Amino acid sequence: MSANLEIFRNVSAFSGIPIDRLKLLAYLSKRVNFKAGEFVFHHGDLDDKAYLILSGKVQVIREFPDHSILLHEFKEGDFFGGLVLLSDIKRLFSIKALTDLECLTISRKSFQKVLMQFPEIALKLLNPTIKRMVQMEERLLQAQSDQCIYG
């Protein structure tokens, strides 16, 4: 648990959260591994976990029937998938391991236990998550703009 706590303390998405709340998140988190080329999840999947990259890199991809668009890459120390901690939603993008990958995960159920005691955590995580989603949405729209005709 102490190793997980130190990891959470050094990640910008969690840096403003008091240590007592981080201890609970560190205790409830789990480590998972993926091989290079393996998908963490696909667009449209129902998944209840958010991921914090301990080592490796991933690609954020929007898959279409006839092509895919690379929208972003995450690396060690990055946090992704946080919206599912707050709501039971389908994944908006696919995440593919670019290299072998080790992550800490936190499930919605575990996060909501912490949230019941410390509701201010939601705002601290929500702001960077929403900003990053808007950036990726803009990249997606830009990539698709040549196919969009209005009028």
Side-chain angles (χ1 to χ4, degrees):
M1 183 190 86
S2 61
N4 291 354
L5 176 61
E6 194 58 33
I7 292 163
F8 276 116
R9 289 182 62 182
N10 290 315
V11 173
S12 61
F14 297 95
S15 62
I17 297 174
I19 193 75
D20 55 333
R21 288 136 175 99
L22 283 181
K23 283 182 183 178
L24 192 50
L25 282 174
Y27 175 74
L28 295 171
S29 64
K30 295 185 174 148
R31 290 178 184 241
V32 296
N33 293 287
F34 300 90
K35 298 281 185 201
E38 189 176 351
F39 279 85
V40 176
F41 53 78
H42 287 277
H43 167 250
D45 284 354
L46 283 172
D47 176 23
D48 73 337
K49 291 180 271 321
Y51 299 82
L52 174 59
I53 300 177
L54 301 178
S55 65
K57 291 182 182 180
V58 300
Q59 295 178 321
V60 180
I61 302 166
R62 180 56 166 94
E63 297 173 292
F64 295 96
D66 59 343
H67 69 286
S68 296
I69 299 172
L70 174 64
L71 297 171
H72 193 70
E73 287 187 2
F74 290 120
K75 62 185 181 338
E76 183 177 321
D78 287 337
F79 176 74
F80 65 90
L83 283 182
V84 300
L85 298 177
L86 301 171
S87 182
D88 184 21
I89 58 173
K90 291 181 179 181
R91 294 295 185 173
L92 299 174
F93 309 102
S94 298
I95 300 288
K96 183 179 181 181
L98 190 57
T99 65
D100 286 348
L101 181 68
E102 182 179 18
C103 295
L104 271 181
T105 65
I106 185 84
S107 70
R108 181 183 313 114
K109 184 177 178 180
S110 294
F111 183 77
Q112 288 181 351
K113 285 179 186 178
V114 176
L115 197 58
M116 295 291 243
Q117 295 177 41
F118 310 109
E120 72 277 7
I121 291 175
L123 292 176
K124 296 199 183 287
L125 289 179
L126 202 54
N127 190 38
T129 300
I130 289 174
K131 283 182 180 179
R132 190 169 44 231
M133 284 187 58
V134 167
Q135 290 172 347
M136 284 189 278
E137 186 175 89
E138 286 178 7
R139 286 187 195 125
L140 177 61
L141 291 172
Q142 186 175 14
Q144 294 293 97
S145 67
D146 61 337
Q147 297 178 13
C148 298
I149 299 172
Y150 181 76

